[in-house]
Amino acid sequence: MLPAGEVCEPAVSRCFHETGDEKKTIQEKSHMNMAALVGSDQVSESTDKDDLSLYVSAFIEKEVGNDLQSLKKLDKLIEQMTESKMQLEEQVLTISSEIPKRIQSALKNADESKQSLNRLLEQEATLSSSISSHLQAAQPWMDDLRTMITQIEEIERHLAYLKWISQIEELSDNIQQYLMTNNVPEAASTLVSMAELDRKLQDSSCTHLLGFVRATVKFWHKILKDKLTSDFEEILAQLHWPFIGPPHSQAVGLSRPATAPETYTNLETLFCQLLKLHTSDELLNEPKQLPEKYSLPAASSVILPIQVMLTPLQKRFRYHFRGNRQTNVISKPEWYLAQVLMWIANHTEFLDEKIQPILDKAGSLVNARLEFSRGLVMLVLEKLGADIPCLLYDDNLFCHLVDEVLLFERELHSAHGYPGTFANCMHILSEETCFQRWLTVERKFALQKMDSMLSSEAAWVSQYKDITDVDEMKVPDCAETFMTLLLVITDRYKNLPSASRKLQFLELQKDLVDDFRIRLTQVMKEETRASLGFRYCAILNAVNYISTVLADWADNVFFLQLQQAALEVFAENNTLSKLQLGQLASMESSVFDDMINLLERLKHDMLTRQVGHVFREVKDAAKLYKKDR
């Protein structure tokens, strides 16, 4: 590397002889100077030397440049550079003196760490050898200890097994002693405890123990149930249960016994004892269920005392409405439906006033009247499940059955407060085969009704034509009858338990609306020549009325719920675009929008045709007026 003075001198002398025209770039002049001073071989020696030369040339060019006056700064620049050089030399000397010390210290630390690691490795080898020898010496003890632990665990399991058996036998002995002293309430409470033990052992793999517990519970449950049921039935007989006659005859019968307070006390005692047995009864007896195809909601069995109270009514129902009895007529479902409603009505007062207080006092959350109704409704469901397959292909009988069932359901829910969450007849009608048949029959009779209403002489006449305040829209009879038909269909299917079934009925209604629109269009085309005629205007009023009513229905809570259900179905099946799903979700559109748009288009076409007709008439009249002088 060249000294700074040798690099600067040619550069300075060159500045005296350069002119503005002859000047080249700074980088080109630097390379020429370097070539003159050190030769072409030294220029390409290394990239570091090139960078340094370029830096020096650029520095001088910057400080001196073409200004001759700048040469005065050379002394000052030389002093600055000399001072910088001395500072750099001092730093180099300082660093060169400190680095060996640091290296020596690092080597010393590394040597000490190595010695420490060697000592730790020696200790680890000694300790590992000691542990291995200790484990080898202790291995026989460990084997003996493992054997003893296994034996102890097995003995503990045997001891726990014996404790369970002892506990069950103790409870069994207690029940026996209570029964010998005629202490039935305590016997029932003890049986409840035994049933709880049975439930706790359900996850155990001890099958013999489970069998023993279950057999013991079953044995005592049968004895107690038979005894309590017999006594309870005697008390019910004294109260003239069941109440087959009308409610006023019950009051007379119930007021006859002189020992009524004592009878009701015994009724309460026996009811509570049977209620305690419900835990074991539910454990031993699976609730009777209809086939899974009916999709009934999960429910526990009816409580034991209510089961006993239902027994005589169940016998009567099966006697009259099964087999070859004259009362069992498949074409008369109203007979057994009315009978069940009458039984519920006849016993409501007794259940609310006498049985419900007992349940409340016992801390039970069961509603006596609803529990009683639930037991009777199960009889109806069994009967429907047996009868429906026999009349599926007889439209008249099937339609009659559906009508009667819907009337029964309406009475059951409105008059007796039967919850829609309980198993009911609509679950039977929702079964796939039955439901599809129902839809088919509903469509068939609706189309027949539409044919008759359109062919009627009064089809295009308003029922309220003489009452201006009522008949503002001038609605023809056929349109009003058709919307009433749709409203009736809505009332028939609105209590279906499944949203998917309701949506299928909604599609049926939309199909009927579309069919009715097509029929109106056909009639309208026949009346096109008389677009201001009576029938044409009646058709226009019908279209406007149906569109208005459907728009009102779109804001109904029931149809808004169906819109939400439809949104979920469409989202799952990807049958609508994201825009349409968004419109449904934001309530910008409704389930009837397609039908309303078609009706509005028909209305617009009819109005356009009427306007055109009026315009032509005025135009023709104006031509005649022009000729008149």
Side-chain angles (χ1 to χ4, degrees):
M1 182 179 297
L2 293 173
E6 293 181 13
V7 177
C8 296
E9 185 176 354
V12 172
S13 61
R14 189 173 59 253
C15 292
F16 286 101
H17 301 288
E18 286 179 344
T19 63
D21 297 331
E22 297 173 348
K23 183 180 176 183
K24 297 181 180 179
T25 62
I26 296 173
Q27 189 171 4
E28 290 174 345
K29 290 191 290 184
S30 299
H31 283 294
M32 290 173 63
N33 291 330
M34 291 298 296
L37 290 170
V38 298
S40 59
D41 295 335
Q42 293 182 348
V43 171
S44 58
E45 187 174 350
S46 67
T47 55
D48 292 339
K49 292 181 179 180
D50 291 343
D51 292 341
L52 178 61
S53 301
L54 291 173
Y55 172 76
V56 171
S57 300
F59 176 77
I60 293 174
E61 184 72 21
K62 177 182 176 183
E63 295 296 334
V64 177
N66 296 328
D67 187 6
L68 299 179
Q69 299 297 327
S70 299
L71 293 175
K72 297 177 181 180
K73 301 178 182 178
L74 287 178
D75 293 337
K76 188 176 180 180
L77 288 174
I78 291 171
E79 291 178 3
Q80 291 177 355
M81 298 300 292
T82 304
E83 186 178 354
S84 298
K85 177 183 177 183
M86 292 176 63
Q87 291 178 356
L88 291 173
E89 288 176 348
E90 289 177 1
Q91 291 178 6
V92 169
L93 290 174
T94 303
I95 293 173
S96 62
S97 62
E98 289 181 356
I99 286 177
K101 294 179 181 179
R102 293 182 182 178
I103 293 174
Q104 186 177 3
S105 175
L107 291 173
K108 183 179 180 181
N109 291 336
D111 188 44
E112 291 176 354
S113 299
K114 183 179 178 181
Q115 293 176 3
S116 176
L117 178 60
N118 289 334
R119 287 195 298 271
L120 289 174
L121 288 174
E122 290 174 0
Q123 294 175 5
E124 185 270 339
T126 304
L127 185 60
S128 176
S129 177
S130 175
I131 291 173
S132 298
S133 60
H134 178 75
L135 289 175
Q136 187 175 2
Q139 186 63 40
W141 297 353
M142 292 173 63
D143 294 339
D144 294 340
L145 184 61
R146 187 178 295 109
T147 303
M148 292 179 64
I149 291 174
T150 303
Q151 292 174 352
I152 291 172
E153 290 177 348
E154 186 176 358
I155 292 172
E156 286 179 344
R157 287 196 298 271
H158 292 167
L159 183 60
Y161 195 94
L162 292 174
K163 283 183 178 179
W164 280 105
I165 293 178
S166 175
Q167 192 173 359
I168 295 164
E169 288 181 343
E170 183 182 355
L171 291 173
S172 181
D173 293 340
N174 291 341
I175 294 174
Q176 186 175 6
Q177 291 176 7
Y178 289 138
L179 289 178
M180 289 174 65
T181 58
N182 203 26
N183 191 351
V184 179
E186 288 298 327
S189 300
T190 308
L191 181 60
V192 172
S193 301
M194 189 182 294
E196 291 298 329
L197 289 181
D198 191 324
R199 291 184 184 277
K200 290 179 181 178
L201 287 170
Q202 289 303 307
D203 296 332
S204 173
S205 58
C206 302
T207 55
H208 295 292
L209 179 61
L210 288 173
F212 173 69
V213 177
R214 183 60 58 87
T216 308
V217 172
K218 188 175 183 180
F219 174 78
W220 289 118
H221 176 79
K222 186 177 186 308
I223 293 174
L224 286 171
K225 182 179 179 181
D226 290 345
K227 177 175 176 55
L228 292 174
T229 299
S230 176
D231 295 343
F232 192 56
E233 287 175 345
E234 288 182 9
I235 295 297
L236 292 175
Q238 294 177 20
L239 297 173
H240 303 285
W241 181 274
F243 307 139
I244 304 302
H248 63 83
S249 65
Q250 303 168 23
V252 175
L254 291 175
S255 62
R256 286 178 184 173
T259 58
E262 182 181 352
T263 303
Y264 285 120
T265 302
N266 293 334
L267 174 72
E268 180 179 352
T269 302
L270 292 169
F271 190 95
C272 290
Q273 292 171 3
L274 281 170
L275 187 60
K276 290 180 179 179
L277 290 187
H278 180 65
T279 303
S280 53
D281 188 75
E282 198 172 24
L283 188 67
L284 296 171
N285 302 313
E286 292 289 335
K288 189 174 182 181
Q289 296 287 351
L290 289 173
E292 293 183 0
K293 64 180 182 179
Y294 295 116
S295 302
L296 297 180
S300 59
S301 58
V302 177
I303 58 174
L304 187 55
I306 298 293
Q307 288 183 33
V308 177
M309 298 173 73
L310 284 168
T311 300
L313 295 174
Q314 290 170 341
K315 290 180 179 178
R316 286 175 176 269
F317 187 91
R318 294 188 177 101
Y319 176 83
H320 288 291
F321 303 113
R322 290 190 181 179
N324 298 323
R325 304 292 173 185
Q326 293 182 350
T327 49
N328 184 27
V329 182
I330 197 171
S331 62
K332 298 291 183 181
E334 61 269 26
W335 287 358
Y336 63 83
L337 295 174
Q339 183 67 72
V340 168
L341 289 174
M342 185 179 70
W343 283 344
I344 294 175
N346 290 349
H347 297 88
T348 294
E349 183 178 354
F350 179 82
L351 292 168
D352 287 343
E353 295 181 2
K354 303 299 181 184
I355 303 301
Q356 190 60 48
I358 300 174
L359 288 168
D360 296 339
K361 188 176 179 181
S364 175
L365 300 177
V366 174
N367 184 298
R369 176 165 47 84
L370 294 181
E371 196 77 351
F372 182 80
S373 301
R374 189 159 69 95
L376 290 178
V377 168
M378 285 305 297
L379 292 174
V380 175
L381 300 188
E382 293 173 9
K383 176 67 174 170
L384 285 174
D387 285 357
I388 285 178
C390 301
L391 44 80
L392 270 179
Y393 301 102
D394 189 319
D395 290 350
N396 293 323
L397 289 181
F398 183 79
C399 190
H400 177 65
L401 173 69
V402 172
D403 289 340
E404 292 298 330
V405 167
L406 293 175
L407 289 173
F408 171 79
E409 281 289 315
R410 188 176 304 165
E411 179 75 11
L412 189 65
H413 292 293
S414 61
H416 302 292
Y418 192 80
T421 54
F422 284 7
N424 56 60
C425 300
M426 303 306 287
H427 290 94
I428 305 297
L429 295 182
S430 296
E431 189 270 326
E432 182 64 26
T433 305
C434 179
F435 183 78
Q436 294 302 327
R437 189 61 186 164
W438 184 10
L439 274 179
T440 302
V441 172
E442 201 77 50
R443 184 188 302 273
K444 175 184 175 182
F445 283 99
L447 293 175
Q448 290 179 358
K449 183 70 174 176
M450 287 165 58
D451 289 337
S452 63
M453 71 177 70
L454 288 173
S455 60
S456 171
E457 294 181 357
W460 308 108
V461 180
S462 172
Q463 297 179 0
Y464 315 102
K465 60 180 180 179
D466 299 328
I467 310 175
T468 308
D469 295 339
V470 176
D471 194 28
E472 293 181 355
M473 300 183 74
K474 307 293 183 182
V475 184
D477 182 68
C478 63
E480 192 165 358
T481 307
F482 175 71
M483 296 311 294
T484 303
L485 173 65
L486 292 184
L487 188 61
V488 169
I489 293 176
T490 303
D491 290 337
R492 289 161 71 85
Y493 78 83
K494 70 187 305 181
N495 291 322
L496 283 169
S498 169
S500 61
R501 299 302 191 197
K502 294 177 184 177
L503 288 174
Q504 291 183 56
F505 257 104
L506 178 63
E507 288 300 317
L508 169 63
Q509 288 180 302
K510 291 165 71 173
D511 290 344
L512 293 176
V513 171
D514 196 47
D515 187 274
F516 194 73
R517 177 188 63 83
I518 292 172
R519 293 172 186 240
L520 290 178
T521 304
Q522 291 172 347
V523 179
M524 179 269 294
K525 288 180 179 179
E526 297 176 358
E527 303 293 328
T528 304
R529 294 182 179 179
S531 57
L532 295 180
F534 168 75
R535 181 173 290 189
Y536 191 93
C537 292
I539 296 170
L540 179 58
N541 291 340
V543 172
N544 180 59
Y545 173 71
I546 295 172
S547 176
T548 304
V549 173
L550 290 179
D552 291 341
W553 284 4
D555 296 329
N556 185 278
V557 175
F558 174 71
F559 289 108
L560 289 175
Q561 292 172 345
L562 283 187
Q563 181 173 341
Q564 180 62 32
L567 177 64
E568 295 173 1
V569 172
F570 293 147
E572 289 178 3
N573 300 334
N574 294 324
T575 53
L576 291 181
S577 65
K578 291 184 179 180
L579 175 60
Q580 291 172 317
L581 288 175
Q583 290 174 341
L584 275 176
S586 62
M587 302 300 174
E588 292 180 9
S589 61
S590 70
V591 291
F592 295 113
D593 269 10
D594 294 341
M595 297 297 101
I596 293 174
N597 291 337
L598 291 173
L599 290 167
E600 288 296 322
R601 187 183 303 171
L602 176 60
K603 183 175 74 172
H604 179 265
D605 292 343
M606 295 182 69
L607 286 173
T608 302
R609 188 172 283 107
Q610 283 187 326
V611 169
H613 181 80
V614 171
F615 185 75
R616 283 193 302 272
E617 283 192 347
V618 171
K619 197 173 181 181
D620 293 343
K623 288 180 181 179
L624 297 175
Y625 180 75
K626 277 175 62 177
K627 297 177 181 179
D628 190 2
R629 297 183 179 276

